[in-house]
Amino acid sequence: QGGNNAGHTVVVDGKEYDFHLFPSGIINPKAISFIVLILFDRNYVQTVQEMSVRSSLKDWEKRLIISDRAHIVFDFHQAVDGLQEVQRQAQEGKNIGTTKKGIGPTYSSKAARTGLRICDLLSDFDEFSSRFKNLAQQYKSMFPTLEIDIEGQLKKLKGYAEKIRPMVRDGVYFMYEALHGSPKKILVEGANAALLDIDFGTYPFVTSSNCTVGGVCTGLGVPPQHVGDVYGVVKAYTTRVGIGAFPTEQINEIGDLLQSRGHEWGVTTGRKRRCGWLDLVILKYAHMINGFTALALTKLDILDVLDEIKIGVAYKLGGKRIPYFP
């Protein structure tokens, strides 16, 4: 699991959980959960502690491991995410529709080699503080209206460091032991969808990570030969949060019905999801990239009240049917 930009509603024994940072497996008392990619700093410890009280999760901190290589999303990353959306709207008349959780700016810092990781936070705090101040100043120079309480942030971060220290492990060695020690079942949970992949999604209306199957190798440091079954999860209709191309979208009573019957709200943003008929072209495209060994088809019952359902079967470009996703 990674950033809190994605939400997962999980129902177990009739009890509903809304997760953002926690891997869904945290509910299972026999499972060890592992956060590997992006860790969110804003009131992180308080948030998860409140969450455990609210959802009566017992001993979650004993079952949660955080990779030392996970990048940290700072408060100013989140603020910049919002400012960038305002800029896009002003300059282009449209934005990307991010969740404004700071994920894009954090990945930008990561790619620019100015990002800070959990291992930095837990080692030399003076060195961490110096790099944090440099990164904050970089963003302040790019966004003059940005206000950052540098000393206040560092004080909070020092507190977080001690609270999460017992959970942090060398992520690569942890996975190596899991793969080569006594036999285990390893389930990798993908946040976001294939069409939100930074390289293979509907760019630029995508997230910042590889949320296709390749992310298993790049995110966890797992060699490709260890990837076994790949389960594609697909609704019996198509949904999308935010803007971007959506050929089978139904901006009518059908779309409204799918939205209301399917409870299609973004877990993170509360935004209504756009709804339309199942699009087999993007499903086949997702299969081309991921090589599904099985599909889990969900929400079929939402269509129960319809006498007739439609399915998108092909795309035309310039009047001709095309065999690929353009």
Side-chain angles (χ1 to χ4, degrees):
Q1 243 306 50
N4 73 330
N5 52 322
H8 299 251
T9 300
V10 186
V11 182
V12 177
D13 296 331
K15 186 162 183 151
E16 188 172 295
Y17 304 84
D18 284 343
F19 291 143
H20 299 278
L21 262 176
F22 277 144
S24 302
I26 198 78
I27 301 167
N28 183 345
K30 296 177 184 172
I32 298 294
S33 292
F34 186 32
I35 294 178
V36 64
L37 280 173
I38 293 285
L39 189 75
F40 186 48
D41 98 338
R42 184 191 290 259
N43 303 323
Y44 168 71
V45 176
Q46 292 94 314
T47 302
V48 290
Q49 284 173 342
E50 279 171 26
M51 167 81 213
S52 61
V53 170
R54 205 165 61 238
S55 61
S56 64
L57 280 175
K58 300 274 192 295
D59 298 326
W60 61 266
E61 61 275 15
K62 293 175 185 167
R63 302 196 302 277
L64 183 67
I65 290 173
I66 298 167
S67 171
D68 58 345
R69 289 166 170 81
H71 276 256
I72 306 170
V73 186
F74 297 114
D75 283 10
F76 57 76
H77 282 132
Q78 189 172 16
V80 165
D81 201 349
L83 290 170
Q84 286 177 329
E85 284 285 77
V86 170
Q87 274 187 358
R88 291 182 194 110
Q89 190 68 47
Q91 291 167 357
E92 302 166 36
K94 61 183 178 184
N95 55 34
I96 287 176
T98 80
T99 56
K100 298 179 185 169
K101 296 292 182 185
I103 303 300
T106 305
Y107 272 97
S108 296
S109 296
K110 175 182 171 180
R113 279 81 55 116
T114 54
L116 287 158
R117 302 189 291 177
I118 294 296
C119 54
D120 302 312
L121 176 62
L122 298 190
S123 52
D124 182 338
F125 196 76
D126 289 339
E127 171 72 11
F128 174 87
S129 300
S130 174
R131 289 175 60 192
F132 178 87
K133 287 173 184 174
N134 288 342
L135 184 58
Q137 289 301 335
Q138 281 175 24
Y139 276 110
K140 280 171 74 76
S141 64
M142 286 189 282
F143 299 91
T145 60
L146 187 64
E147 292 181 12
I148 305 173
D149 175 10
I150 291 176
E151 294 308 323
Q153 287 294 301
L154 285 169
K155 188 179 175 186
K156 275 205 300 187
L157 284 158
K158 196 165 192 176
Y160 295 151
E162 296 322 304
K163 284 180 178 172
I164 65 170
R165 193 180 291 276
M167 302 179 204
V168 177
R169 298 266 288 276
D170 183 298
V172 173
Y173 188 63
F174 170 74
M175 285 309 301
Y176 180 83
E177 284 190 306
L179 289 163
H180 294 93
S182 57
K184 293 177 181 64
K185 290 179 179 173
I186 298 171
L187 177 68
V188 183
E189 175 182 24
N192 299 309
L195 271 288
L196 291 176
D197 186 275
I198 184 73
D199 292 309
F200 299 107
T202 49
Y203 191 88
F205 308 107
V206 291
T207 191
S208 306
S209 58
N210 287 112
C211 38
T212 41
V213 75
V216 175
C217 302
T218 55
L220 286 166
V222 168
Q225 67 263 34
H226 288 291
V227 177
D229 292 318
V230 180
Y231 296 99
V233 182
V234 58
K235 291 175 189 169
Y237 51 94
T238 304
T239 62
R240 179 168 195 129
V241 175
I243 53 182
F246 190 167
T248 62
E249 183 173 13
Q250 298 299 296
I251 308 172
N252 52 30
E253 66 280 0
I254 296 285
D256 293 342
L257 178 102
L258 296 172
Q259 199 278 325
S260 59
R261 268 183 68 84
H263 302 290
E264 296 296 349
W265 283 273
V267 177
T268 300
T269 59
R271 287 180 294 186
K272 277 188 179 183
R273 292 195 185 107
R274 298 157 62 194
C275 299
W277 300 117
L278 180 63
D279 185 333
L280 290 186
V281 179
I282 58 173
L283 184 54
K284 283 163 77 174
Y285 175 68
H287 176 53
M288 284 181 209
I289 301 164
N290 292 290
F292 299 130
T293 45
L295 284 175
L297 183 67
T298 68
K299 297 204 165 183
L300 196 56
D301 58 324
I302 303 304
L303 305 175
D304 281 352
V305 295
L306 297 168
D307 294 327
E308 181 185 75
I309 60 171
K310 294 184 180 182
I311 293 175
V313 295
Y315 285 4
K316 280 182 177 175
L317 196 60
K320 291 181 181 171
R321 275 174 74 132
I322 52 170
Y324 56 90
F325 180 76

